[in-house]
Amino acid sequence: MKAMILAAGKGTRVRPLTYDLPKPMIPILGKPVMAYLIEYLASYGVREIMVNVSHLHHKIEEFFGDGSQYGVQIGYSFEGYINDFGEVTAEPLGSAGGIKKIQQFGQFFDDTVIVICGDALIDLDLSSALFEHKQKGALASVITKEVPWDKVDNYGVVVMDQEGRVESFQEKPKQNEALSNFASTGIYIFEPEVIDLIPADTMFDIGSELFPLMAKKGLPFYAQQRFFNWIDIGSVTDFWSVLQNVMLGQVAQLEMPGKQIADGVWAGLNTSIDWDGTTIEGPVYIGSGCRIDAGSKIVGPTWIGHGSHICSGAQVVRSVLFEYTRILGGAQLDEAIVFKQYSVDRAGQMRRLPEAGIPDWGDARDRLPENESTVS
């Protein structure tokens, strides 16, 4: 059995994280989302995985390499070109177009293939899903989950009959126009014949183009309704919520890294914590090489990336700090994500350091003069 991980998108809804990271590299408990997917596939015996890449492709390729550290083989298909200025330009071909390019190049998809979007955590019983796919004689199966009606406009929704045969597919419909609240999870099972339907050398999307085409042709295309954890990182606020839930222990089989040093507090190597007047209410993770000054306050769930510095008098509440973040004394960070020069609150409002007025965060790799240790 082979697999395909879709990893070429620009992740515009997860900016500013994707200004510097491809979406599959967004970390959950310090590990890229795509690493969990590769481990998941390997646990079901998948040993050959193709990944289409485009935006910041080198970061995915350099991290995962040939896949040998996961006991699999990983191949990459770049989507883009070199422009007239000698710059690498990302140009994704669409989720289906990327699959077609791989097939045209080397006929990789010669058997049943699992296709997974590279931006979600899942624990689907893949063996059962494959059994149902084969039992129904499906050319394609889409794994669905029921979502609240007021959330349907965030997903592609599937309309099916009582046997699960797909009758139509709506891509992110308005609530009053939605014919179903069963969302596509971005997990598909395809036979090679499905790929023959995708036009060559053109942008083509699975949800908005391939699936409606299959439904219109009346092909054996089925939806499966399954109960499993599907944690989708569709937006930057989703990322905040996901990490909150994970740190609260609400996602099975995901454990806090580091060593537990106090009730609800975990730390990496060589952290420096001055407990004098400091309050830390878990769950909190403090990465390696972090410095927590006396008189600071941290309320979990909070993730503090390695090399960070929480200055005396600072308060960090239910937030996510990426590596090398300094929170200045007197600053109050509440339900926010800090990523390099950007800060995003729970509502998705973004600030950039040069536009933030008196900043309350900065780069912990900078020297910190005494007169900059507090915010007035």
Side-chain angles (χ1 to χ4, degrees):
M1 185 168 55
K2 297 179 178 180
M4 166 90 182
I5 296 177
L6 301 171
K10 292 183 177 180
T12 54
R13 294 175 61 210
V14 199
R15 290 173 177 167
L17 305 184
T18 48
Y19 285 147
D20 193 59
L21 287 173
K23 197 174 180 184
M25 292 297 293
I26 291 175
I28 300 295
L29 297 186
K31 187 164 71 173
V33 173
M34 188 169 137
Y36 291 104
L37 288 173
I38 292 171
E39 291 170 348
Y40 164 79
L41 291 168
S43 72
Y44 280 95
V46 177
R47 293 293 176 262
E48 297 179 37
I49 303 170
M50 283 298 299
V51 184
N52 68 327
V53 293
S54 189
H55 175 61
L56 300 173
H57 66 101
H58 60 284
K59 295 200 171 186
I60 295 175
E61 295 164 12
E62 290 169 0
F63 186 92
F64 293 102
D66 64 0
S68 56
Q69 70 269 39
Y70 298 95
V72 301
Q73 287 182 285
I74 298 176
Y76 304 94
S77 175
F78 172 69
E79 297 173 15
Y81 60 94
I82 299 290
N83 65 21
D84 294 339
F85 303 100
E87 301 166 332
V88 176
T89 301
E91 189 174 72
L93 294 171
S95 50
I99 295 173
K100 186 69 171 185
K101 180 185 177 184
I102 292 169
Q103 187 73 336
Q104 281 183 291
F105 187 84
Q107 297 295 307
F108 175 76
F109 303 111
D110 55 2
D111 199 354
T112 306
V113 61
I114 310 303
V115 180
I116 300 180
C117 292
D119 58 0
L121 298 174
I122 60 173
D123 63 1
L124 171 72
D125 184 340
L126 186 55
S127 296
S128 293
L130 281 164
F131 178 81
E132 182 175 335
H133 173 82
K134 296 291 188 181
Q135 186 183 48
K136 289 184 173 179
L139 279 183
S141 295
V142 53
I143 311 301
T144 67
K145 282 207 73 171
E146 194 169 11
V147 298
W149 281 98
D150 62 351
K151 302 292 185 183
V152 292
D153 58 349
N154 293 323
Y155 305 103
V157 298
V158 183
V159 181
M160 68 194 91
D161 65 18
Q162 291 185 343
E163 302 298 320
R165 191 156 185 149
V166 176
E167 297 177 333
S168 63
F169 193 92
Q170 295 177 290
E171 186 65 15
K172 298 180 180 177
K174 295 179 181 178
Q175 182 180 346
N176 62 349
E177 297 174 354
L179 301 175
S180 164
N181 67 329
F182 282 91
S184 166
T185 61
I187 307 170
Y188 319 119
I189 306 173
F190 288 165
E191 297 302 323
E193 293 85 350
V194 172
I195 303 168
D196 295 338
L197 299 170
I198 304 170
D201 304 317
T202 186
M203 284 194 65
F204 207 72
D205 184 69
I206 291 174
S208 62
E209 295 175 288
L210 177 61
F211 283 172
L213 176 63
M214 293 190 68
K216 183 178 180 180
K217 286 180 173 288
L219 298 173
F221 173 26
Y222 288 88
Q224 297 187 16
Q225 301 176 32
R226 295 204 164 266
F227 298 96
F228 66 104
N229 285 314
W230 170 53
I231 304 171
D232 178 43
I233 305 174
S235 67
V236 69
T237 52
D238 286 343
F239 170 69
W240 180 87
S241 298
V242 166
L243 200 52
Q244 294 285 301
N245 293 337
V246 168
M247 294 188 70
L248 286 169
Q250 295 174 0
V251 181
Q253 300 177 342
L254 292 184
E255 297 180 355
M256 294 282 278
K259 179 181 179 181
Q260 188 165 3
I261 60 172
D263 186 25
V265 182
W266 289 260
L269 297 175
N270 202 37
T271 58
S272 175
I273 303 174
D274 190 335
W275 291 95
D276 184 18
T278 295
T279 300
I280 304 180
E281 302 174 9
V284 169
Y285 174 78
I286 302 169
S288 64
C290 285
R291 176 180 163 189
I292 311 298
D293 287 347
S296 54
K297 182 176 182 179
I298 306 169
V299 177
T302 286
W303 176 276
I304 300 175
H306 67 258
S308 294
H309 179 193
I310 310 300
C311 295
S312 180
Q315 294 188 33
V316 180
V317 179
R318 293 184 293 277
S319 293
V320 181
L321 311 184
F322 276 68
E323 61 272 12
Y324 299 112
T325 298
R326 174 178 284 122
I327 305 300
L328 298 178
Q332 296 186 15
L333 195 72
D334 190 9
E335 297 189 340
I337 300 168
V338 178
F339 178 73
K340 298 188 176 181
Q341 58 186 322
Y342 297 95
S343 173
V344 186
D345 66 21
R346 184 180 180 180
Q349 297 298 313
M350 182 169 66
R351 289 191 301 160
R352 190 169 182 267
L353 262 180
E355 305 162 356
I358 299 174
D360 48 18
W361 81 95
D363 193 321
R365 291 168 292 191
D366 291 340
R367 293 186 178 184
L368 182 65
E370 287 298 322
N371 62 355
E372 292 185 9
S373 62
T374 59
V375 175
S376 58

